[in-house]
Amino acid sequence: MPTDESFDLGLISPVSVGRDEAVSDAAILAALVAAEAGLVDALAAEGVAPAGVSGSPLRAIDLDVPALARDAVAGGNPVIPLVALLRAAAPDEVRPWIHRGATSQDILDTSLMIVAREAVGRIRADLARVSAALGAFAAEHRDLVAAGRTLTQHAVPTTIGLRAANWRRAIDRALVRIDHLELPAQLGGAAGTMAALAETVRASPDAQRRQNSVEPADTPGSGTADARIGVVVQGVRRAYADAVGLRHLEAPWHTQRWPVTELGDALTQATDALGKLAADVATASRTEIGELAEPTGGGSSAMPQKQNPARSVLLRSAALRAPQLAATLHLASAAASDERPDGAWHAEWSTLRELLRLALGATAHAADLAEGLRVDRDAVARNLAATGGLIVSERLGVALGKDRAAEVVAQVAAGADIRDLVDPELLDPAQYVGLAGLFTDTA
Amino acid sequence: MPTDESFDLGLISPVSVGRDEAVSDAAILAALVAAEAGLVDALAAEGVAPAGVSGSPLRAIDLDVPALARDAVAGGNPVIPLVALLRAAAPDEVRPWIHRGATSQDILDTSLMIVAREAVGRIRADLARVSAALGAFAAEHRDLVAAGRTLTQHAVPTTIGLRAANWRRAIDRALVRIDHLELPAQLGGAAGTMAALAETVRASPDAQRRQNSVEPADTPGSGTADARIGVVVQGVRRAYADAVGLRHLEAPWHTQRWPVTELGDALTQATDALGKLAADVATASRTEIGELAEPTGGGSSAMPQKQNPARSVLLRSAALRAPQLAATLHLASAAASDERPDGAWHAEWSTLRELLRLALGATAHAADLAEGLRVDRDAVARNLAATGGLIVSERLGVALGKDRAAEVVAQVAAGADIRDLVDPELLDPAQYVGLAGLFTDTA
Amino acid sequence: MPTDESFDLGLISPVSVGRDEAVSDAAILAALVAAEAGLVDALAAEGVAPAGVSGSPLRAIDLDVPALARDAVAGGNPVIPLVALLRAAAPDEVRPWIHRGATSQDILDTSLMIVAREAVGRIRADLARVSAALGAFAAEHRDLVAAGRTLTQHAVPTTIGLRAANWRRAIDRALVRIDHLELPAQLGGAAGTMAALAETVRASPDAQRRQNSVEPADTPGSGTADARIGVVVQGVRRAYADAVGLRHLEAPWHTQRWPVTELGDALTQATDALGKLAADVATASRTEIGELAEPTGGGSSAMPQKQNPARSVLLRSAALRAPQLAATLHLASAAASDERPDGAWHAEWSTLRELLRLALGATAHAADLAEGLRVDRDAVARNLAATGGLIVSERLGVALGKDRAAEVVAQVAAGADIRDLVDPELLDPAQYVGLAGLFTDTA
Amino acid sequence: MPTDESFDLGLISPVSVGRDEAVSDAAILAALVAAEAGLVDALAAEGVAPAGVSGSPLRAIDLDVPALARDAVAGGNPVIPLVALLRAAAPDEVRPWIHRGATSQDILDTSLMIVAREAVGRIRADLARVSAALGAFAAEHRDLVAAGRTLTQHAVPTTIGLRAANWRRAIDRALVRIDHLELPAQLGGAAGTMAALAETVRASPDAQRRQNSVEPADTPGSGTADARIGVVVQGVRRAYADAVGLRHLEAPWHTQRWPVTELGDALTQATDALGKLAADVATASRTEIGELAEPTGGGSSAMPQKQNPARSVLLRSAALRAPQLAATLHLASAAASDERPDGAWHAEWSTLRELLRLALGATAHAADLAEGLRVDRDAVARNLAATGGLIVSERLGVALGKDRAAEVVAQVAAGADIRDLVDPELLDPAQYVGLAGLFTDTA
């Protein structure tokens, strides 16, 4: 197996480094082996392979990874050399069942889904941390009135709590998308018909007989050899999905790439939500604004006045990159000609891995960020007062009528103190936050 | 209202022309008016505006569209001049309630969701036509054996039916995504707090009283003025959603753009599925392959031998464009700083319209294509035989063992007739389609 | 010709409305006619068509645009119905020469390049206005010291002049790219061989003879009929390029789409540069920062304190959209199979038009912005002082040594006044702007 | 330094594996060290650092790469920990000059340009191989007449030579773009003013004096201390560019990212051209077409009839991915706020590396492909005849008039043999290739 040094050192991938073991070459290789081993297990479980045959020995084989990578070039994918290595090292009774009825795409698609499942588990956990932390943050600052900003300008008051509650709403929606993901196993054979495995089963009366005994024989056509074979093959496909811990679909998806694009869309929805959070934290961290600060600033020894919003910076970089990676997955799906396309499928692999890597890094940093986010209440108050009361000008129009409000604004612009012109009660920003509290409570 | 000439003539948008009334300027303008009228209706329904006030007169106003478009430039969006026109033309009793408590983004977001709802309805209907047609096509050709192709090469046999069933699976999955879409109304006020409307309600004892009478008074805090105001405002938000026929969300989504990105993702999943269909039809239409033909070929008077797969060409062009439009929606979502961002929101409008337009055109063409798709059974058979029987070579390996199979292949390559070497039964492609029938039936 | 109402009203395209006549349907139709007329002119100029035949009558034909758009759907492009209309309305002597030797792609590619030339001319002029205005702005504010910001934090001093000079450098680089664009005419015939026109010339001894008389006959092979035909055909191709005002390439580019992608890249480089400008103006316009203001703020009647950076907002929305449109052009180029691809070519049309439209709108708004950009010197000074002198902390490290500088910073953090600890001369930001003046002068 | 195993094993990056040493972590680290060493050299060359100080010792330091990568996370980039390691290991006289006047971005931008220069050199060399091979291929098959295809259908004849010549034209144009690339060094200091280095020079009378002696003193203002300092600092910037082998720009480009986007655009133009080549080769390799074959097919042991166009598949996958990576670079450029942006800059690093990696792999595979591309002349002839002579139907219209041609076509469609109806000379595809030869010769 590859050593710790064997994957991207992150020299120029700061958002992901240390967070991306789940998508390392080692993880992918382990998933490839898991797919091959799971197939052997499934064949045995359904009686196609003899009792006693098991995929376990495959999982224990020590692989020469650099050789494998080198040989992957010739075949255009790593499965062909991997199968050769596994066959060479496997016990005699296991060897004939390795990769039986499968094609490279089956193993590679399945392994990427295994890797995705592990990565998505971590991403989900970190997003849940973000959500919980933002929930607590919103509750704590539910009534902290702050300047609401539209098109860069102070508009009307809002609250720090509501802003955080809205961040959380987007995070929670991304969690819903992630929770609805279906990550299926792939097993279709050379062109998605399972012909080779059906041929194997045809030659295996034991497997057919066993299956026949448990199936009702009174379905029309269910007594035919083909029907019996179909039942066995589907049994293997289902057992394979169980063995690798992925969802069973009733037919191969080699030509329908929604499992990949829906995953890409959900990951991007997550980085979108984090990007929004980061955009607001970065803005609020500006030297002139200073309302928010990250838990530990990315400081600068030469410029001690800086408190760089380092995590927000990384989140923003991830959010800027993810949508185009997801677009590539869609393009690959849309261009997937034939029973296996001439390039579109191959465009998915690295793209999906990079998207998972970004999401892994971004969610981990976001959890740290959300759990330690700090508010400078003085800065919030100072900014809220920056327009000399005009932040509630909209209210004046409602309360005084537009004509009188316009007069007041004109007099203020001419130098008058607004407090001399209007009931001070009307000028209290805290009295003009509408349903901010309610919208915070329901997040 | 704009005349028929008032939107893109489609001179260079062939995929969409004639299919895109649902996203025309006229449709958008109607939706903007519907949003403003719906707000007046909602205010009246909840007792904030006097009984008898109604949005109906707004819907009947004849608008000077070119003037509106011109004035939209100054304000950066069409809502500001629209409100001025509506106010100028509305009856006196309606005038004060126009746009009451709303901000431009509320009206524009809502109107885009109204337009999307109409467009998605058509898209859904056409996708359902595609699905049904492909279902019938698959059933009809369930057992028509054809060459399966991977990486451009004949691999093993499959069936025309299974290929179509797989197209359908991707379409049906896109339909699921579309059916789960949530298209919400937007009403948040200047910065998402509903402060202006709350202020209006505060001055409307009638509205509060009415609301109070129907709400239980024993919830903690429910007796306070703020709580009563909140109930009324939420009532208006809910009535507004009802009035415009969109989903009610408990809080504004001005800063959380998932309603836009999920829509973009679902539309792109649809064009992905159509792109796959079109890629296969275009390939199968090639002069040398000729297995499939579109219902009416895009002919050429100068070159009568041509039967251009014109609809597939349009579908492929749409499928190539949609993912990048969806990526722009994600970028806009991720970059949405503040309570209203300084550019990201504005990047959504035309992008979403173009994506809807592409999906409208693509699904309509796809329905025509799927309903009239024709098979040339002779060409299918001729191609299936093109490798002189070697299309079942995989089967030989399973049935004869790899060594004997390799011998056979070598002898065939040296000129021998495979039928002299192998039991002809083994060479029948129809006997080596695995579970193609089953996978077709379950689509 | 289409009326003013006949193109996108810009209801939801505020960045472009009123700026995009150059890419309207009317402009595209005029360019299509210009391409057809130019071909007739070229045929006459080279003696293939009789003397006296001219494309001028075509330019005067009044076209039924809605009918044309309707018919464009059937053929998948507008050229086929356009040719039918032109032939029906043309004088008898012109009719046989209309579209002679051309294919739809020739006319459409050429017309898009004509449209692009007009649009690029305006874009270039407006970018030059931006450059000149920024040059004057930079010169005026060459020595206005301001806070330099990195990762949102005050770092070290810079000048308003240098910031503007750097904006200008990016603009000027985009101008270089634009000035190097080659926008070629397209004429290749059905599959890029010019076979049909060569056939026509073969039957035109006059044309061959005339050409022969001016060409030296002693080049090897130049005396053959094929060589003479080649000379005439190339003559027509060159005359056609002259007639439509585009560059002549020695061979058709129907399968090599760099004229489209290089155009897309240059336009995007322009919107990138404007996006950077707009990002900085929007940031500097923030209520809390207030260093810069657009010439006329996008005000809000309800919120008079707002001075929305409306043009920056539009520029940012354009800059966010352009890269994905350019990516689509690249994808279309890369997927351009065969002598005319099955979808990739069609994906270019609307995409290129939208990219031109964005660049037209963005450059026009940017010129207005740059020419009226205003500085609030008080705000600049106030912000520069916001860190209590620590904005020159890097200098302290250089001047005092790191250890002493760290001591000073620690004491300031503990409440000391930095002016009591350090020679005030060292704290003057104006003394720590390095080569800002020089870098401004050389822009 | 990282071992051979230390970068991406390419398990799922088949297009690049074995071709991407130029962009490995080892290469990036070497470039980072080269940038730091080059700065020390430049300081010494200009007399700012004492004579005898040199960057050479830095180049020899053995670095603990995993530790470096780990520490890169905290600071968000690898430069900060690298500088610490270099300072710890450097000789005493060198230590004070390490990273003097530079900021992390200077070193990282410069190192990425160094890496790009190396990668682009290889990419250029391989593209030149492609061009040369296609030139020879086109010449060899200049007169091999073949079916021209538009919208998937046989249109009119062309030649294999012309098709290849057109592939080459796109490659050569990409080479032009690559040859015009400017890859500049970056040196600007904390915010692009060179303030820290200017401060250092101010304290170095020797450096100023030396510079003064070689500069004419009669330029206005040239005698001032600031002018002398400016000359020295610019001298260091120029010497630094020389030392690292990159172009010197008169001002820092930290806020103007065209060096990155122009590189991305040129690389994508290259992959576009290769994508077009690969699309045509993949199509021509189809079992039913069989006109072209890759030098060594990606075979399948189980399916010996397959001759997968493995290199074309890889090229197509690269061409599908590159445009979106280039789009991300543009987005990063457009969103680059302030003197260093809060995320946009960070989005460039991995994206640019991946784009270089794709181009490295794609060009290397393309060179192998082009140098070994094989033609099956029998298949070419068979396909050319597939429409029973109708491939020259366009010619019949020109030669016989449209009416007679239509009659002929109708009779052929009704079963007549076209050779009985038309002068066989007219039906010879070789007589209807127009200027294919000329267009081939001029490529």
Side-chain angles (χ1 to χ4, degrees), chain A residues 25-323:
Chain A
D25 270 353
I28 290 173
L29 184 56
L32 289 165
V33 171
E36 294 286 4
L39 177 57
V40 173
D41 286 341
L43 291 167
E46 297 301 300
V48 179
V53 165
S54 154
S56 294
L58 304 187
R59 299 185 180 94
I61 293 172
D62 196 27
L63 293 163
D64 179 353
V65 180
L68 184 57
R70 259 194 318 276
D71 294 346
V73 190
N77 75 57
V79 177
I80 297 167
L82 172 65
V83 168
L85 288 176
L86 293 177
R87 283 191 179 132
D92 286 350
E93 70 278 12
V94 174
R95 186 172 303 115
W97 302 102
I98 293 175
H99 201 66
R100 193 70 178 259
T103 189
S104 298
Q105 181 166 6
D106 292 331
I107 302 304
L108 202 40
D109 278 348
T110 298
S111 70
L112 288 176
M113 287 292 128
I114 292 172
V115 164
R117 181 197 58 209
E118 294 303 308
V120 166
R122 299 181 191 207
I123 289 164
R124 205 220 171 280
D126 279 334
L127 271 185
R129 281 176 59 202
V130 177
S131 175
L134 292 179
F137 183 89
E140 183 181 352
H141 303 289
R142 180 191 189 274
D143 299 313
L144 180 54
V145 183
R149 300 177 182 95
T150 61
L151 307 178
T152 75
Q153 304 295 295
H154 284 198
V156 293
T158 185
T159 63
I160 296 291
L162 177 54
R163 192 172 288 145
N166 283 336
W167 296 334
R168 191 191 194 191
R169 281 193 165 88
I171 302 284
D172 286 349
R173 183 76 187 189
L175 277 167
V176 169
R177 279 284 286 277
I178 286 172
D179 286 339
H180 281 81
L181 283 177
E182 297 183 21
L183 302 178
Q186 176 77 285
L187 190 59
T193 62
M194 294 301 299
L197 191 60
E199 192 75 10
T200 296
V201 172
R202 190 181 308 275
S204 168
D206 278 2
Q208 293 179 53
R209 194 177 316 117
R210 179 178 154 202
Q211 200 64 47
N212 210 31
S213 67
V214 296
E215 291 288 316
D218 52 359
T219 318
S222 69
T224 68
D226 276 359
R228 285 197 304 270
I229 291 169
V231 170
V232 176
V233 170
Q234 286 291 64
V236 172
R237 291 184 68 252
R238 187 183 307 270
Y240 169 71
D242 289 347
V244 296
L246 295 170
R247 180 177 287 257
H248 169 65
L249 294 183
E250 63 186 352
W253 49 278
H254 56 125
T255 62
Q256 315 128 52
R257 309 305 292 173
W258 59 260
V260 176
T261 60
E262 292 189 5
L263 173 56
D265 292 346
L267 295 172
T268 305
Q269 187 156 335
T271 58
D272 291 350
L274 300 179
K276 161 62 179 169
L277 161 66
D280 282 350
V281 173
T283 296
S285 301
R286 285 193 166 275
T287 303
E288 290 88 351
I289 300 179
E291 297 184 358
L292 297 179
E294 295 202 356
T296 54
S300 163
S301 61
M303 297 178 284
Q305 81 279 14
K306 298 194 72 181
Q307 292 294 326
N308 296 330
R311 287 185 184 79
S312 297
V313 166
L314 295 179
L315 294 182
R316 280 170 73 74
S317 78
L320 200 61
R321 294 175 58 202

Side-chain angles (χ1 to χ4, degrees), chain C residues 20-58:
Chain C
D20 60 355
E21 308 96 320
V23 297
S24 69
D25 270 353
I28 290 173
L29 183 56
L32 288 166
V33 171
E36 294 286 2
L39 177 56
V40 174
D41 286 341
L43 292 167
E46 297 300 301
V48 179
V53 165
S54 154
S56 294
L58 304 187

Side-chain angles (χ1 to χ4, degrees), chain D residues 58-401:
Chain D
L58 303 187
R59 299 184 180 96
I61 292 170
D62 197 28
L63 292 163
D64 179 354
V65 180
L68 184 56
R70 259 194 317 277
D71 294 347
V73 189
N77 77 57
V79 177
I80 296 166
L82 172 64
V83 168
L85 288 176
L86 293 178
R87 282 189 179 135
D92 285 350
E93 71 277 12
V94 174
R95 185 171 306 115
W97 302 102
I98 293 174
H99 202 65
R100 192 71 177 258
T103 189
S104 298
Q105 181 166 6
D106 292 330
I107 301 304
L108 201 41
D109 278 349
T110 297
S111 69
L112 287 176
M113 288 290 127
I114 292 171
V115 164
R117 182 195 60 209
E118 293 303 306
V120 166
R122 299 180 190 206
I123 289 164
R124 203 217 172 284
D126 279 334
L127 270 185
R129 281 176 60 201
V130 178
S131 175
L134 292 179
F137 182 88
E140 183 181 351
H141 302 290
R142 178 190 189 276
D143 299 313
L144 181 54
V145 183
R149 300 177 181 95
T150 60
L151 307 178
T152 75
Q153 304 295 296
H154 285 197
V156 294
T158 186
T159 63
I160 297 291
L162 177 54
R163 192 173 288 144
N166 283 337
W167 296 334
R168 190 189 195 194
R169 280 193 165 89
I171 303 282
D172 287 350
R173 183 77 186 187
L175 277 167
V176 169
R177 280 285 285 279
I178 286 172
D179 287 339
H180 281 81
L181 283 177
E182 296 183 23
L183 303 178
Q186 177 75 286
L187 189 60
T193 62
M194 294 301 298
L197 191 61
E199 191 76 11
T200 296
V201 172
R202 190 182 306 275
S204 168
D206 278 3
Q208 293 180 51
R209 195 175 317 116
R210 179 177 155 203
Q211 199 63 49
N212 209 32
S213 67
V214 296
E215 291 289 316
D218 51 358
T219 319
S222 67
T224 67
D226 276 358
R228 285 198 305 270
I229 290 168
V231 171
V232 176
V233 170
Q234 284 291 65
V236 171
R237 291 184 69 252
R238 185 181 309 272
Y240 170 71
D242 289 347
V244 296
L246 295 170
R247 180 176 287 258
H248 170 65
L249 294 183
E250 63 185 353
W253 49 277
H254 57 126
T255 61
Q256 316 128 51
R257 309 306 292 173
W258 60 260
V260 175
T261 61
E262 291 189 7
L263 173 57
D265 291 347
L267 295 172
T268 305
Q269 188 156 334
T271 58
D272 290 350
L274 300 179
K276 161 62 180 167
L277 161 66
D280 283 351
V281 172
T283 297
S285 300
R286 285 192 166 275
T287 302
E288 290 89 351
I289 300 179
E291 298 185 358
L292 297 179
E294 295 202 358
T296 55
S300 162
S301 62
M303 298 178 283
Q305 79 280 14
K306 297 195 73 180
Q307 293 294 326
N308 296 329
R311 287 184 186 80
S312 297
V313 167
L314 295 179
L315 294 182
R316 281 171 71 75
S317 78
L320 201 60
R321 294 175 57 202
Q324 290 76 257
L325 295 170
T328 298
L329 297 179
H330 278 290
L331 287 163
S333 172
S337 59
D338 293 333
E339 273 64 61
R340 187 177 313 158
D342 52 350
W345 176 51
H346 305 73
E348 290 177 357
W349 313 340
S350 294
T351 306
L352 178 58
R353 165 145 84 164
E354 189 65 17
L355 192 47
L356 286 166
R357 182 182 275 157
L358 278 182
L360 282 163
T363 49
H365 283 292
D368 294 343
L369 168 59
E371 290 175 353
L373 191 61
R374 292 174 292 140
V375 177
D376 181 335
R377 302 178 70 96
D378 293 341
V380 170
R382 184 179 64 241
N383 293 336
L384 187 60
T387 56
L390 287 181
I391 197 164
V392 297
S393 61
E394 185 194 55
R395 187 187 199 188
L396 301 185
V398 180
L400 307 178

